[in-house]
């Protein structure tokens, strides 16, 4: 039974058969984002005739009664912290942040404080969307801790749902656009192309993502173009058609061109740093992270429909690497 706070047991009957479970749940419970519902499925909070369903991609038949047991937040609300934020844009519905490298997006084990969420709570107060859950208020999409650049945060639930729908659609029917700059070892061939390779959590190392057969993972597509070339290195512009965890890092490594500074997917290339000029080696050491920057973010405003587009220059550490490589 659902309590007054909205938590507890809910149910609904699927009208359109052949849908993915997560999509059917969105239709039944539109106040929750698809990402939130996928997490709830994986955590065992969705059932059919008493049987727990754990695969968000499983197909469901018309007439199926789905039961959702929505748990209350188990963790205390992260506290606000007055951290410096670079704000590219802000209005009553959303805020676009230019995230520095090293900043974790939301609290997680080992990062209970000092995250972007802590800073947003202090900056936005109670206006943040709650759709993402108590640990991720307002968070529509993420960047890795050591990836710098642009991301958008929702300040109310309606904006969160509107933005989440665009990210789930991957820009197929709207103006969503995401572009990254990456320094990679070698020069991808051809110099302009598309990488299509499904991704899933590695069976051997749960901290890593791996390329897997199409049927065993999540469809992932990265479009790339080599922008500049240097000795041993290229600057690659990557446009995401899908947004999977570590997608650019894994796709380029899969092609044999891991990112500079990426100790997770490019560990075998550490010795290549010795071939760089001293200034470039020093700049890479100072970088101390994967050389990846979210340079461009475009989307339709979830309330007005206006197309918004933002660009971010290379941060100082990547700009210094670029200068050193060009010398």
């Amino acid at each position: 039974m659902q309590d007054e706070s909205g938590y507890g047991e809910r149910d609904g009957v699927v009208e359109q058969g052949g849908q993915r479970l997560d999509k059917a749940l969105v239709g039944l419970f539109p106040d929750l984002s698809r990402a939130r519902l996928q997490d709830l499925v994986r955590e065992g909070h969705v059932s059919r005739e008493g049987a727990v369903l754990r695969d968000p991609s499983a197909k469901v038949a018309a007439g199926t009664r789905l039961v959702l047991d929505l748990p209350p937040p188990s963790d205390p609300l992260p506290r606000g912290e007055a951290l410096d934020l670079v704000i590219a844009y802000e209005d009553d519905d959303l805020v676009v942040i230019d995230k520095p490298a090293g900043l974790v997006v939301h609290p997680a084990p080992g990062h209970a404080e000092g995250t972007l969420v802590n800073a947003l709570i202090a900056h936005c107060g109670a206006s943040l969307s709650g759709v993402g859950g108590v640990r991720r208020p307002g968070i529509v999409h993420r960047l890795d801790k050591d990836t710098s650049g642009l991301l958008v945060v929702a300040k109310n639930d309606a904006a969160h749902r509107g933005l989440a729908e665009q990210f789930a659609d991957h820009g197929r029917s709207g103006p969503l656009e995401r572009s990254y700059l990456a320094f990679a070892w070698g020069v991808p061939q051809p110099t302009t192309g598309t990488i299509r390779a499904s991704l899933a959590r590695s069976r051997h190392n749960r901290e890593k993502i791996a390329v897997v057969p199409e049927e065993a993972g999540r469809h992932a597509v990265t479009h790339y173009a080599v922008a500049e070339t240097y000795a041993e290195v290229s600057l690659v512009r990557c446009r995401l058609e899908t947004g999977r965890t570590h997608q650019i890092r894994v796709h380029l490594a899969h092609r044999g061109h891991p990112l500079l500074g990426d100790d997770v997917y490019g560990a075998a290339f550490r010795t290549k740093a010795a071939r760089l000029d001293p200034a470039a080696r020093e700049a890479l050491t100072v970088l101390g992270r994967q050389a990846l920057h979210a340079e461009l973010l475009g989307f339709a405003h979830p309330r007005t429909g206006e197309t918004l587009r933002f660009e971010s220059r290379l941060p100082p550490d990547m700009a210094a690497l670029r200068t050193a490589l060009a010398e």
Side-chain angles (χ1 to χ4, degrees), residues 8-326:
E9 189 174 287
R10 309 183 188 184
D11 63 6
V13 177
V14 177
E15 294 184 359
Q16 180 182 344
Q19 299 183 80
R20 286 171 52 110
L21 174 60
D22 53 3
K23 188 174 181 180
L25 288 168
V26 170
L28 295 175
F29 313 112
D31 58 315
L32 300 173
S33 71
R34 188 170 180 175
R36 173 67 170 143
L37 288 164
Q38 288 172 341
D39 287 341
L40 290 168
V41 171
R42 296 186 184 103
E43 292 166 7
H45 294 288
V46 175
S47 62
R48 175 183 58 202
E49 297 180 353
V52 174
L53 306 176
R54 293 184 181 273
D55 182 1
S57 66
K59 297 296 191 294
V60 292
T64 301
R65 180 175 294 277
L66 297 174
V67 178
L68 169 66
D69 183 15
L70 185 62
S74 58
D75 297 318
L77 184 71
R79 66 182 182 88
E81 296 180 55
L83 307 177
D84 290 335
L85 291 175
V86 178
I87 298 175
Y89 175 84
E90 182 175 16
D91 62 22
D92 291 340
D93 297 297
L94 55 88
V95 55
V96 178
I97 303 294
D98 198 339
K99 188 186 86 67
L103 180 63
V104 176
V105 171
H106 57 74
H111 298 284
E113 299 179 341
T115 72
L116 176 60
V117 162
N118 296 106
L120 288 168
I121 290 172
H123 178 75
C124 301
S127 68
L128 276 180
S129 163
V131 174
V134 67
R135 305 285 285 184
R136 306 180 186 183
I139 301 302
V140 179
H141 64 121
R142 294 178 294 170
L143 295 177
D144 294 341
K145 171 190 173 184
D146 290 328
T147 297
S148 55
L150 298 164
L151 78 164
V152 60
V153 175
K155 295 175 69 175
N156 56 63
D157 290 357
H160 195 292
R161 286 191 291 272
L163 290 167
E165 288 173 1
Q166 294 184 59
F167 278 82
D169 184 60
H170 305 306
R172 286 187 290 262
S173 59
L176 181 71
E177 185 178 5
R178 288 174 292 172
S179 177
Y180 293 69
L181 286 173
F183 286 100
W185 290 110
V187 181
Q189 296 296 330
T191 55
T192 300
T194 298
I195 303 172
R196 292 182 172 85
S198 291
L199 304 177
R201 188 72 58 179
S202 171
R203 294 181 179 180
H204 307 291
N205 183 346
R206 301 300 293 174
E207 300 297 318
K208 297 179 67 173
I209 304 297
V211 169
V212 297
E214 183 71 28
E215 67 278 4
R218 304 184 72 187
H219 181 65
V221 181
T222 303
H223 305 284
Y224 72 89
V226 175
E228 300 172 4
T229 58
Y230 318 93
E232 306 288 343
V233 175
S234 59
L235 177 62
V236 184
R237 177 170 282 107
C238 298
R239 181 172 62 83
L240 291 183
E241 183 174 317
T242 57
R244 311 305 184 196
T245 301
H246 299 179
Q247 178 173 317
I248 292 172
R249 298 165 62 188
V250 178
H251 271 178
L252 287 179
H254 177 62
R255 283 289 187 90
H257 304 284
L259 273 56
L260 272 66
D262 192 340
D263 288 338
V264 176
Y265 300 105
F269 283 69
R270 287 173 184 162
T271 57
K272 289 183 70 70
R275 303 181 188 178
L276 299 176
D277 291 337
R281 287 202 305 271
E282 175 63 21
L284 181 55
T285 299
V286 170
L287 181 73
R289 64 177 178 102
Q290 68 259 12
L292 183 62
H293 177 67
E295 63 154 351
L296 186 149
L297 177 63
F299 54 88
H301 193 286
R303 180 172 55 83
T304 67
E306 176 188 2
T307 297
L308 302 179
R309 195 171 187 269
F310 306 95
E311 295 185 37
S312 172
R313 295 181 178 179
L314 282 178
D317 56 356
M318 286 183 64
L321 177 62
R322 183 186 199 176
T323 299
L325 287 167

